[in-house]
Amino acid sequence: MTQTSILYFLFFHLTIIFSQPCHRFLTHAAGGRWQFLQRSIGISAMHMQLLNNDRVVIFDRTDFGESNISLPAGKCRNDPNDAALKVDCTAHSVEYDVLSNTFRPLMVQTDVWCSSGAVMPDGSLIQTGGFNDGERRIRIFKPCGTTNGCDWVEVQNGLAARRWYGTNHILPDGRQIVIGGRRQFNYEFHPKNRAPNLYSLPFLAQTHDRGVENNLYPFVFLIGDGNLFIFSNNRAILFDYSNNKAVKTYPTMPGGDPRCYPSTGSAVLLPLKNLQASSVEAEVLVCGGAPKGSYVQAGKGTFVGALNTCGRIKITDPNPQWVMETMPQARVMGDMTLLPNGNVLIVNGGAAGTAGWEFGRNPVLNPVLYSPDNKLGSRFELQNPTTIPRMYHSTAVLLRDGRVLVGGSNPHIYYNFTGVIFPTELSLEAFSPAYLDPENSRLRPKIVLPASQAKLKYKQKLVVRFTVTGSVAIDKVSVTMVAPSFTTHSFSMNQRLAVLGSEKVTSLEKNTYAVQVTTPGSGNLAPLGYYLLFVVHRDIPSEGIWVNLQ
């Protein structure tokens, strides 16, 4: 093919692609499919949490001005401290019903901008902090089965310190720890059970870059020995929160570039395996971000190319070291979502700039699939692109059916729909990994027993009955448990996946099988609460069922 014909070929196909209606374009090939769900939910999905009734609580902030969805029954939010509107009759939170693809408005009273949260063992979402008069608030959302009965309940001064850009994590006993935030080099607990309930964490001060910070929304993971891995800026510690002591200091990630907000990479705790071992290995993967100085340069109108590297480290090793890997594309403000089969989806973000108002450029439309069990150098696989840029304030969460819900993008101080590079995005879409392709349906398990909402105990022998219409590879069946995450600002708090494995797989009758597993042995491996349980066959997961670990 000549150079002229190549250019003509590219021009012809690009013309076809870009002439399609943006919000109705559906991609479908080996690299997954995109499904457009809602043109507008009225708000931008800045924060998202899936609850155990298959509804997603979504919220942005109250000082954007009027949203595009009204509060019900003539309600109005009256807030004399609000910087945009003292009286606002629009909603800044919604509940999205996954099964019916519908949504309804919720009411938050004070500003939830750049806040944090986690789900308690009883299934209630605890949301902490925010901006302005919301900075010390605790808000509670208890899921219920009605269409109009659940809403936010606010607790004034529920926090001991102002929390803006902090991180929450569920602890083995069901409490939450709330760590850091802007100018907060400390942590506290919820619920409160001791005084003063505010504890210094010098590591956050040590990783604070003057004028830029780069220590906000620290990446926090609970591991099997009961300690917390805390990554801030470009380095990490293993932290004993019970004794307020760092028990291990990890090497600085090679290159020394910052990975936390506003440089904003992302991180996951890779799947926990061999759960019955005396010591369970834990690995963390940190991907993307912005090079040193990017935030300052973006403020001057220069948008530095994002990082294309990931660092992976076995944090339980006696002498842990970072192993660096290269992504197919550079990415800042990307979201990392654990899939039921143990792979990681990296989605959203840009290829230049940083987080912050108008500071991101060059949207990255292609997700990337990371397979942690593949050999080094062959772990990344580029996926089919979306058509919607998801820049600053975008989110992604795993759904029970195996899709990933994607929303958000508002790099502006207000709701700006015209006259800007990246208009405020109110839509929702879903990415379906290749395991949901129709050609895999005969290999996809369907869980028969236990029923959804089953109650489980630690160290419990559990038999999961499932059906598969195609031929089953007995040695390629496993069971996984995934904790749904609170996702905001490119980090999914409390996200974890436990591989229960398969101790025995039995054929019962035509197309029906049973797999025996043992649940995790302690709250260090899986804190109390709700999980999604999947049967995985040949890397193809079933639809999940909700289980409650008590």
Side-chain angles (χ1 to χ4, degrees), residues 103-400:
F103 57 94
R104 68 182 183 92
L106 302 174
M107 183 171 179
V108 287
Q109 181 61 38
T110 53
D111 200 350
V112 289
W113 179 27
C114 301
S115 55
S116 54
V119 173
M120 298 296 283
D122 68 353
S124 299
L125 172 58
I126 301 296
Q127 183 274 326
T128 52
F131 182 63
N132 197 5
D133 58 357
E135 61 192 6
R136 290 186 60 191
R137 293 279 176 135
I138 286 179
R139 303 168 189 85
I140 304 167
F141 186 89
K142 294 185 177 181
C144 63
T146 63
T147 58
N148 57 9
C150 313
D151 213 333
W152 289 102
V153 175
E154 300 208 4
V155 180
Q156 188 172 4
N157 295 327
L159 294 170
R162 300 177 299 168
R163 301 291 172 192
W164 194 29
Y165 299 89
T167 298
N168 292 29
H169 204 296
I170 290 290
L171 300 175
D173 61 5
R175 290 183 300 156
Q176 292 187 31
I177 188 170
V178 190
I179 299 175
R182 179 151 285 175
R183 295 179 289 278
Q184 295 294 342
F185 310 132
N186 52 56
Y187 63 97
E188 62 184 283
F189 298 95
H190 173 81
K192 305 284 187 274
N193 61 0
R194 65 183 71 175
N197 204 262
L198 189 64
Y199 304 90
S200 176
L201 184 52
F203 174 68
L204 293 178
Q206 295 161 9
T207 53
H208 177 270
D209 290 341
R210 174 172 285 193
V212 182
E213 296 175 292
N214 284 327
N215 68 337
L216 301 179
Y217 282 124
F219 308 143
V220 180
F221 303 106
L222 173 71
I223 66 170
D225 64 4
N227 292 314
L228 296 173
F229 176 85
I230 303 177
F231 183 101
S232 177
N233 198 322
N234 54 18
R235 51 199 185 275
I237 58 172
L238 191 63
F239 188 65
D240 177 355
Y241 61 87
S242 296
N243 296 299
N244 191 25
K245 180 181 178 182
V247 295
K248 183 183 289 187
T249 299
Y250 294 92
T252 299
M253 186 181 288
D257 288 310
R259 306 282 179 157
C260 292
Y261 184 93
S263 291
T264 308
S266 190
V268 290
L269 176 68
L270 292 176
L272 298 171
K273 303 177 180 180
N274 304 316
L275 302 184
Q276 309 310 314
S278 58
S279 178
V280 177
E281 185 178 90
E283 285 189 88
V284 167
L285 180 71
V286 179
C287 289
K292 289 179 182 177
S294 296
Y295 185 82
V296 173
Q297 288 299 312
K300 298 176 181 178
T302 299
F303 303 98
V304 179
L307 298 169
N308 67 349
T309 54
C310 296
R312 179 168 167 173
I313 187 169
K314 291 183 180 180
I315 61 178
T316 46
D317 274 8
N319 183 31
Q321 300 295 321
W322 291 98
V323 176
M324 302 305 293
E325 304 182 56
T326 303
M327 297 188 290
Q329 299 168 307
R331 192 183 304 254
V332 62
M333 298 180 289
D335 284 280
M336 297 173 70
T337 304
L338 285 168
L339 301 179
N341 60 7
N343 291 337
V344 182
L345 185 74
I346 309 174
V347 67
N348 298 335
T354 74
W357 302 133
E358 319 295 345
F359 278 5
R361 293 293 186 275
N362 305 346
V364 181
L365 302 178
N366 294 83
V368 168
L369 195 66
Y370 179 86
S371 301
D373 293 337
N374 286 1
K375 292 182 179 179
L376 185 65
S378 60
R379 292 172 176 161
F380 294 98
E381 181 185 347
L382 209 62
Q383 304 293 288
N384 278 322
T386 179
T387 58
I388 305 174
R390 301 284 183 184
M391 303 294 281
Y392 187 38
H393 292 146
S394 299
T395 45
V397 295
L398 176 70
L399 300 177
R400 184 166 61 87

Side-chain angles (χ1 to χ4, degrees), residues 521-534:
S522 75
N524 293 344
L525 296 173
L528 297 166
Y530 284 91
Y531 291 80
L532 288 168
L533 185 135
F534 299 87

Side-chain angles (χ1 to χ4, degrees), residues 416-472:
N416 291 345
F417 302 104
T418 59
V420 289
I421 300 174
F422 304 111
T424 298
E425 191 56 66
L426 307 182
S427 67
L428 290 181
E429 56 186 334
F431 179 76
S432 295
Y435 56 61
L436 291 174
D437 287 351
E439 54 263 36
N440 290 324
S441 60
R442 286 178 54 80
L443 300 176
R444 185 172 306 124
K446 180 180 180 180
I447 296 176
V448 178
L449 289 172
S452 194
Q453 306 293 334
K455 297 177 181 179
L456 303 180
K457 301 292 184 182
Y458 290 111
K459 298 182 181 179
Q460 176 183 335
K461 293 291 184 182
L462 175 67
V463 176
V464 182
R465 184 175 296 187
F466 64 96
T467 59
V468 176
T469 57
S471 60
V472 172

